[in-house]
Structure formats: structure tokens, C-alpha cells
Amino acid sequence: MDILVPKVGEIIGGSAREDDFEVLKSRMAAMNVPEEPLKWYMDLRKYGSVPHAGFGLGFERLVMYVTGLENIRDAIPFPRFPGNAQL
């Protein structure tokens, strides 16, 4: 479930997590996703997980909606662009 707002887009996005270990494993294989880096996540499903979902609020999109800004770049407090992050 998503909450969409005209001229802004998705303010809140919700999604369910796959809780069936075998389904997750076969889908990862079909998509050529390596299992080793995600072993911790696979273990969560393998040793018991309950069906659950989550949601996220896009803060910058909320600021756009409340203030009437037309471009999301104007709502981002810390601009992101190539070469900006010192790693």
C-alpha cells in the first residue's frame, strides 16, 4: 500500500516482506542474487520469521507537500550530487 499525493508522488510507501524461506531462496536464485552477503537475512527467514510489513515516510516529499515546493531538490536539507560525499 502506498499513499500518493498529486504533484508530489508517493509520500508513504508500504510493503510486505517475504516470510517463506524456500520462496525467498528460489527467487534469489532466479534473479542471480548471491546468497553469501545476505546470509544474515536468509537466517532470519530460515529460523523463523512472522509475516510482517513496514512503511516509510519520504520526509522530503512531505516537505514538498506541506510547503508547495515543485522540485524535490528544494526540499532536501543536505544536497546529494556526484562527488559530494567524502568517503
Side-chain angles (χ1 to χ4, degrees), residues 49-83:
S49 179
V50 296
H52 64 285
F55 71 93
L57 171 67
F59 184 72
E60 288 90 356
R61 292 182 188 271
L62 177 63
V63 169
M64 283 178 61
Y65 176 66
V66 171
T67 62
L69 292 172
E70 293 185 12
N71 193 313
I72 196 163
R73 289 178 293 183
D74 297 329
I76 297 174
F78 303 101
R80 296 171 287 225
F81 54 88

Side-chain angles (χ1 to χ4, degrees), residues 83-87:
N84 186 34
Q86 300 284 328
L87 300 177

Side-chain angles (χ1 to χ4, degrees), residues 17-78:
R17 311 302 188 252
E18 179 58 63
D19 58 285
D20 186 305
F21 177 75
E22 293 302 324
V23 170
L24 182 60
K25 188 173 179 174
S26 65
R27 184 69 174 142
M28 287 176 68
M31 299 293 294
N32 295 320
V33 175
E35 285 187 36
E36 189 56 36
L38 297 172
K39 186 171 179 2
W40 64 271
Y41 187 80
M42 297 292 287
D43 284 347
L44 291 174
R45 300 302 177 260
K46 184 176 183 179
Y47 297 113
S49 179
V50 296
H52 64 285
F55 71 93
L57 171 67
F59 184 72
E60 288 90 356
R61 292 182 188 271
L62 177 63
V63 169
M64 283 178 61
Y65 176 66
V66 171
T67 62
L69 292 172
E70 293 185 12
N71 193 313
I72 196 163
R73 289 178 293 183
D74 297 329
I76 297 174
F78 303 101

